[in-house]
Amino acid sequence: MTTPNLSIHTTFLPHEDPEASLAFYRDVLGFEVRQDVGQGAMRWITVAPPGDADGPVLVLAPPVSDPGVSEQERRTVSDLMAKGSWAMLILKTPDLDATFEKLAASGAEVVQEPMDQPWGVRDAAVRDPAGTMVRINQA
């Protein structure tokens, strides 16, 4: 049996306010916009770190755009997003403290200031405008 040659290409993160999410990922984190399709709240915005043409991309997307989802399911997703329990993203940076300072200065909701974790990682955490937990590792 051969091992499949796979890599991560795309993942989706929810947004409830595309302009706020765009400002966070583009203007604060410095990601470049690859695509921006749709309109109003129904926008799919593809972002990625600049210069990483072959790396994985994030698609900032409406959280529940499938017409087959019930209103109760939409409320459940919205409730989980509001609690920050719906999605998580882990990024890495060579300078955690400088990255954290920029995030904190932007008004991002700080969850955890930079600290050494008992499992050997130095990290910090904020929430994006949709409530997604964004952890950043020193690497």
Side-chain angles (χ1 to χ4, degrees):
M1 179 172 175
T2 60
T3 302
N5 184 9
L6 298 173
S7 60
I8 297 172
H9 182 267
T10 304
T11 191
F12 285 70
L13 293 178
H15 73 63
E16 291 189 318
D17 179 340
E19 289 302 324
S21 290
L22 186 58
F24 180 81
Y25 285 96
R26 181 193 58 204
D27 303 338
V28 177
L29 293 179
F31 285 13
E32 64 184 20
V33 176
R34 302 266 175 91
Q35 289 186 310
D36 188 347
V37 298
Q39 59 185 340
M42 298 304 283
R43 282 171 64 189
W44 285 258
I45 306 165
T46 305
V47 298
D52 191 7
D54 296 327
V57 297
L58 301 175
V59 179
L60 309 172
V64 187
S65 57
D66 184 333
V69 174
S70 72
E71 193 53 41
Q72 175 60 40
E73 291 167 325
R74 290 179 202 283
R75 279 194 302 273
T76 298
V77 169
S78 291
D79 290 348
L80 290 171
M81 287 175 62
K83 291 173 55 179
S85 301
W86 184 247
M88 178 186 286
L89 173 67
I90 300 178
L91 303 173
K92 66 179 181 180
T93 179
D95 191 344
L96 177 62
D97 292 312
T99 301
F100 178 79
E101 286 177 23
K102 184 174 182 178
L103 283 163
S106 77
E109 179 186 347
V110 173
V111 177
Q112 174 208 301
E113 294 189 7
M115 65 180 290
D116 295 323
Q117 299 291 352
W119 53 87
V121 172
R122 178 170 169 74
D123 72 353
V126 299
R127 292 194 196 284
D128 81 0
T132 297
M133 175 77 75
V134 179
R135 300 199 72 88
I136 303 170
N137 292 353
Q138 174 90 31

